Amino acid sequence: MILLVAAGLLLGSCGGTEVLSTNDEQRELWDSAGVTAYEYELALDCFCPPEVAGPFNVAVADGAAVEVARVTSPQDPVAVDEIMNGTIEAIFDFIGENADADLLEVTYHAELGYPVTVVVDPSDGVLDDELSITVQSFRSSDG
């Protein structure tokens, strides 16, 4: 994990236009890479039930999650909408939607631009509303 942070772009902010600008730039990098099929492991760290937090193995093709399975119990089906539809694009959208959070820290992949880690605390004064997203073991399935 430390290697990914060192290789990526870290954006720490209290929200606002800087976050949106950097997120847009990284999304353009992601789009320009032309990755249409990929797999990765998605982990959510939150004050939520374990079945929501994952981690999940996610497979995406043509911009849509085609398979989502819990790492610990791959035989149990997972509703894709439970985890922001499972795509990297949805994580970019989530960052944009939380640009005004009291805390928003994002690390992006240095070459492909996708978010590697996202930490959001919507409101400093509210307990247990923090959420962390981690994308690991990313691999393109494009030929």
Side-chain angles (χ1 to χ4, degrees), residues 33-107:
V35 179
T36 60
Y38 53 93
E39 298 175 2
Y40 70 99
E41 185 177 302
L42 172 67
L44 306 175
D45 185 13
C46 56
F47 291 95
C48 50
E51 62 270 11
V52 175
F56 303 96
N57 286 320
V58 180
V60 175
D62 297 323
V66 293
E67 184 178 343
V68 179
R70 284 185 184 81
V71 171
T72 56
S73 56
Q75 70 281 2
D76 296 334
V78 176
V80 172
D81 62 338
E82 285 181 28
I83 56 165
M84 301 179 299
N85 97 11
T87 66
I88 295 295
E89 290 78 5
I91 299 172
F92 278 114
D93 291 344
F94 177 81
I95 294 165
E97 292 163 4
N98 285 279
D100 291 328
D102 285 350
L103 173 71
L104 179 59
E105 295 178 348
V106 184
T107 305

Side-chain angles (χ1 to χ4, degrees), residues 3-143:
L3 179 61
L4 288 176
V5 172
L9 168 67
L10 174 65
L11 170 68
S13 178
C14 294
T17 57
E18 180 183 340
V19 172
L20 290 177
S21 176
T22 302
N23 194 53
D24 289 346
E25 291 169 9
Q26 295 300 306
R27 190 175 206 150
E28 286 179 19
L29 182 59
W30 167 252
D31 289 343
S32 71
V35 179
T36 60
Y38 53 93
E39 298 175 2
Y40 70 99
E41 185 177 302
L42 172 67
L44 306 175
D45 185 13
C46 56
F47 291 95
C48 50
E51 62 270 11
V52 175
F56 303 96
N57 286 320
V58 180
V60 175
D62 297 323
V66 293
E67 184 178 343
V68 179
R70 284 185 184 81
V71 171
T72 56
S73 56
Q75 70 281 2
D76 296 334
V78 176
V80 172
D81 62 338
E82 285 181 28
I83 56 165
M84 301 179 299
N85 97 11
T87 66
I88 295 295
E89 290 78 5
I91 299 172
F92 278 114
D93 291 344
F94 177 81
I95 294 165
E97 292 163 4
N98 285 279
D100 291 328
D102 285 350
L103 173 71
L104 179 59
E105 295 178 348
V106 184
T107 305
Y108 295 93
H109 188 271
E111 293 175 21
L112 297 176
Y114 66 84
V116 175
T117 60
V118 180
V119 178
V120 64
D121 184 356
S123 180
D124 254 351
V126 177
L127 293 176
D128 301 342
D129 67 339
E130 304 85 5
L131 172 67
S132 297
I133 299 169
T134 305
V135 172
Q136 331 183 85
S137 304
F138 181 91
R139 57 205 169 277
S140 173
S141 304
D142 288 328

